[in-house]
């Protein structure tokens, strides 16, 4: 047994140092170093790495063969879509998300729906009975599924040896520990060691491994950067706890695009795939009230029509309140400043509350125009007709700027039965307007929108 060593690790980025440091030289954060007792790498570790080295030999790139059809389909089309068409054999995937968002449910459900595969679900958080209870809520296993409650890597690898799974799920990496390292489960050195062990297992055996990871308060993966470098894909499961909608995104994907996203709804019997989110999001609209506008946004490559709601009221206290749910707060302040300057509103004396319906978070800049119009609508207390939707970015001078893939947004708006879509004048060059069953309204500046809606 090697001698125990002590190291200091940065909580934020995993930087390793032999002495305590006030400021991390890697990420620049202050006061982030924790001491961990680490054992020097062991014999097992060295053997396996030597083995990997001895098998490798350089090959001309033209001679490298792989089979495109070899991806493992999970029978959950939203999950497959985010991964770029299924799980690549030998890949190591990390699924992150806040506690209670549904990570365990998602992977258990995906595992249950996989046909004719032998799977091993290792949980460090729940007992076998608890996993079974959850599985009973969700559905029947379609393949051969094994569950085990275990936290020690050595024993997990014994179970793997016995079961010989075709897919391995670890729930969660923060609860797993290796005996070779003295520090407790969830510490940086444990996470790094265990992730590396599973990566090596995945690469040598060709069995894909799905790891669940926790997210810290500030929204990053706990023990994060160290893991993000090792794994092949980082998926994030997000959504508002109070709403049913959940979004699965790829933050990193070595085998596919990070633009795709999967949408689910949490129900009492597990997660339901939502192939057509706009229809659900819009059906809950109350169509006669002011302060509501529909935006034709794109999430990844999918059009999603989202309702933006605003409430503008006189500020009761000296400093006006601002609140944004699902929208960047600084962007809201910027849009308010533009509206104040260009549309002559005294928004400085008003409280402004903004909410994206359905608990979604939107980062597509095309939502700007709907945000601005919903604020204006609430301010003058005139509703925007429910047959209008919009897609444009707003510049600092109040100019209405073009957005990407406008044809796709217009076509989807027509399909959903909208009568008018507001877009930037610069977006319509070369566009055959008669092709679409919808009136395309062109705007140059935000005043145009104001005039068309409320004058
Ligand atoms: P869970 O998968 O345990 O979350 P995580 O692993 O990310 O911590 O999901 C927990 C929540 O999901 C819990 O609040 C209950 C809810 N849930 C349902 O609404 N329906 C279901 O069928 C299941 C299994 C869970
Ligand atoms: Mg869980």
């Amino acid at each position: 047994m090697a001698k125990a060593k002590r190291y200091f690790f940065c909580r934020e980025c995993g930087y390793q140092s032999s002495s305590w440091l006030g400021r991390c030289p890697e990420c620049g954060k202050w006061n982030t170093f924790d001491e961990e007792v680490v054992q020097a790498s062991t014999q097992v570790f060295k053997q396996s790495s030597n083995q990997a080295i001895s098998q490798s030999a350089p090959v001309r790139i033209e001679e490298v063969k792989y089979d495109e059809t070899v991806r493992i389909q999970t029978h959950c089309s939203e999950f497959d879509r985010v991964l770029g068409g299924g799980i690549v054999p030998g890949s190591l995937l990390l699924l992150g998300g806040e506690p209670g968002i549904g990570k365990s449910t998602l992977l258990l459900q995906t595992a249950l729906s996989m046909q004719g595969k032998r799977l091993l679900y290792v949980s460090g958080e729940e007992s076998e009975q608890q996993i079974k209870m959850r599985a009973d809520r969700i559905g029947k296993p379609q393949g051969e599924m094994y569950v085990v409650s275990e936290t020690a890597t050595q024993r997990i690898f014994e179970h793997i040896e016995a079961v010989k799974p075709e897919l391995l799920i670890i729930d969660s990496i923060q609860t797993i520990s290796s005996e070779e390292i003295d520090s407790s489960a969830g510490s940086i050195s444990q996470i790094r060691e265990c992730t590396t062990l599973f990566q090596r297992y995945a690469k040598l055996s060709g069995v894909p491994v799905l790891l669940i990871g926790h997210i810290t308060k500030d929204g990053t993966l706990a023990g994060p950067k160290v893991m993000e470098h090792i794994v092949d894909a980082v998926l994030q499961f997000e959504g508002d706890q109070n709403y049913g909608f959940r979004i699965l995104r790829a933050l990193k994907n070595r085998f596919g695009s990070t633009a795709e996203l999967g949408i689910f709804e949490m129900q009492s019997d597990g997660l339901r795939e939502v192939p057509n989110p706009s229809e659900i999001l819009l059906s809950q609209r109350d169509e006669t009230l002011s302060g509501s506008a529909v935006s034709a946004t794109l999430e990844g490559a999918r059009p999603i029509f989202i309702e933006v709601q605003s409430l503008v009221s006189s500020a009761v206290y000296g400093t006006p309140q601002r609140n944004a749910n699902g929208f960047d707060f600084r962007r809201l302040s910027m849009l308010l400043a533009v509206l104040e300057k260009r549309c002559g509103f005294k928004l400085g004396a008003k409280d402004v509350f903004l909410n994206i319906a359905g608990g979604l978070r939107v980062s597509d800049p095309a939502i700007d125009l709907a945000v601005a119009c919903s604020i204006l609508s609430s301010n003058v207390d005139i509703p925007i007709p429910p047959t209008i939707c919009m897609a444009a970015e707003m510049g600092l001078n109040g100019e209405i700027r073009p957005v990407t893939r406008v044809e796709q947004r217009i076509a989807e708006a027509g399909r959903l039965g909208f009568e008018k879509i507001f877009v930037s004048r610069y977006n319509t060059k070369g566009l055959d307007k008669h092709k679409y069953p919808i009136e395309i309204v062109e705007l140059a500046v935000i005043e145009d929108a104001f005039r068309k809606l409320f004058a």
Side-chain angles (χ1 to χ4, degrees), residues 79 83 87 91-97 103-104 106-107 120-122 125 153 156-157 160 167-176 190-202 207-214 221-224 226-237 248:
F79 194 76
L83 288 174
I87 303 174
S91 61
L92 181 67
L93 311 176
L94 173 64
L95 173 70
K103 302 178 294 294
S104 309
L106 176 68
L107 289 195
L120 179 59
Y121 186 102
V122 181
E125 302 191 338
T153 47
I156 292 173
F157 281 107
I160 292 171
L167 178 76
L168 176 67
I169 296 173
I170 306 287
D171 183 4
S172 64
I173 189 72
Q174 276 90 357
T175 58
I176 306 294
Q190 279 290 6
I191 288 178
R192 177 155 66 186
E193 167 80 7
C194 297
T195 313
T196 313
L197 284 175
F198 288 119
Q199 184 216 25
R200 192 157 298 155
Y201 164 70
V207 175
V209 180
L210 301 175
L211 304 173
I212 289 181
H214 292 169
L221 282 157
V226 276
M227 268 158 105
E228 284 179 22
H229 291 304
I230 303 173
V231 300
D232 296 308
V234 180
L235 309 179
Q236 179 144 315
F237 206 37
L248 182 69

Side-chain angles (χ1 to χ4, degrees), residues 236-446:
Q236 179 144 315
F237 206 37
E238 57 190 41
D240 195 310
Q241 290 276 2
N242 303 318
Y243 294 90
F245 289 107
R246 301 285 183 271
I247 291 183
L248 182 69
R249 282 179 210 280
L251 303 183
K252 159 183 172 175
N253 191 354
R254 283 186 183 150
F255 313 115
S257 131
T258 51
E260 285 294 352
L261 96 181
I263 300 174
F264 299 87
E265 193 179 1
M266 182 63 93
Q267 295 185 328
S268 57
D269 55 350
L271 290 157
R272 187 181 71 88
E273 296 178 40
V274 181
N276 210 342
S278 312
E279 280 163 15
I280 304 168
L281 289 169
L282 294 178
S283 66
Q284 301 156 352
R285 260 158 57 81
D286 195 334
E287 298 168 347
T288 53
L289 300 177
S290 67
S292 154
V294 176
S295 178
T297 59
L298 279 184
E299 279 289 342
R302 287 170 98 177
I304 300 184
F305 282 58
I306 294 176
E307 185 191 351
V308 182
Q309 295 173 328
S310 297
L311 176 64
V312 178
S313 64
S314 303
V316 187
Y317 305 105
T319 349
Q321 294 189 65
R322 307 268 182 258
N323 199 356
N325 266 336
F327 187 72
D328 182 35
F329 187 76
R330 273 171 296 180
R331 185 110 195 133
L332 173 65
S333 308
M334 185 218 99
L335 293 180
L336 286 175
V338 175
L339 292 181
E340 170 121 32
K341 183 133 189 147
R342 300 294 302 231
C343 295
F345 286 115
K346 291 284 158 280
L347 289 164
K350 306 270 183 157
D351 290 341
V352 179
F353 304 98
L354 186 80
N355 187 35
I356 307 291
L360 300 178
R361 263 210 85 77
V362 182
S363 48
D364 182 0
I367 199 172
D368 280 3
L369 184 59
V371 169
C373 289
S374 83
I375 292 168
L376 294 175
S377 160
S378 177
N379 193 56
V380 295
D381 202 16
I382 301 175
I384 296 172
T387 50
I388 294 179
C389 65
M390 30 197 98
E393 192 182 337
M394 203 163 98
L396 281 178
N397 293 319
E399 74 273 24
I400 303 299
R401 295 169 55 175
V403 293
T404 54
R405 305 216 209 181
V406 77
E407 294 95 337
Q408 202 184 345
R409 299 176 202 254
I410 295 172
E412 180 75 3
R415 204 185 64 72
L416 287 171
F418 285 95
E419 288 166 16
K420 283 185 193 173
I421 180 164
F422 283 21
V423 296
S424 163
R425 194 175 63 169
Y426 307 103
N427 242 158
T428 51
K429 276 192 203 112
L431 200 70
D432 179 12
K433 288 199 205 160
H434 305 289
K435 212 172 81 183
Y436 304 100
I438 181 169
E439 185 188 339
I440 299 168
V441 182
E442 298 172 43
L443 310 173
V445 285
I446 183 68

Side-chain angles (χ1 to χ4, degrees), residues 9 22 33 45 59 68 84 90 147 155 205 301 308 364 380 384 387:
F9 290 92
F33 277 81
F45 217 87
V59 186
E68 242 313 318
V147 292
R155 250 157 295 139
S205 66
V308 182
D364 182 0
V380 295
I384 296 172
T387 50

Side-chain angles (χ1 to χ4, degrees), residues 108 112 121 123 126-141 145-148:
L108 185 65
L112 287 171
Y121 186 102
S123 180
E126 291 161 303
S127 66
E128 288 92 357
Q129 291 82 359
Q130 285 168 322
I131 303 170
K132 175 76 166 98
M133 277 167 66
R134 189 198 293 266
D136 284 343
R137 282 176 80 174
I138 300 172
K140 285 224 158 5
M145 180 153 175
Y146 294 88
V147 292
V148 61

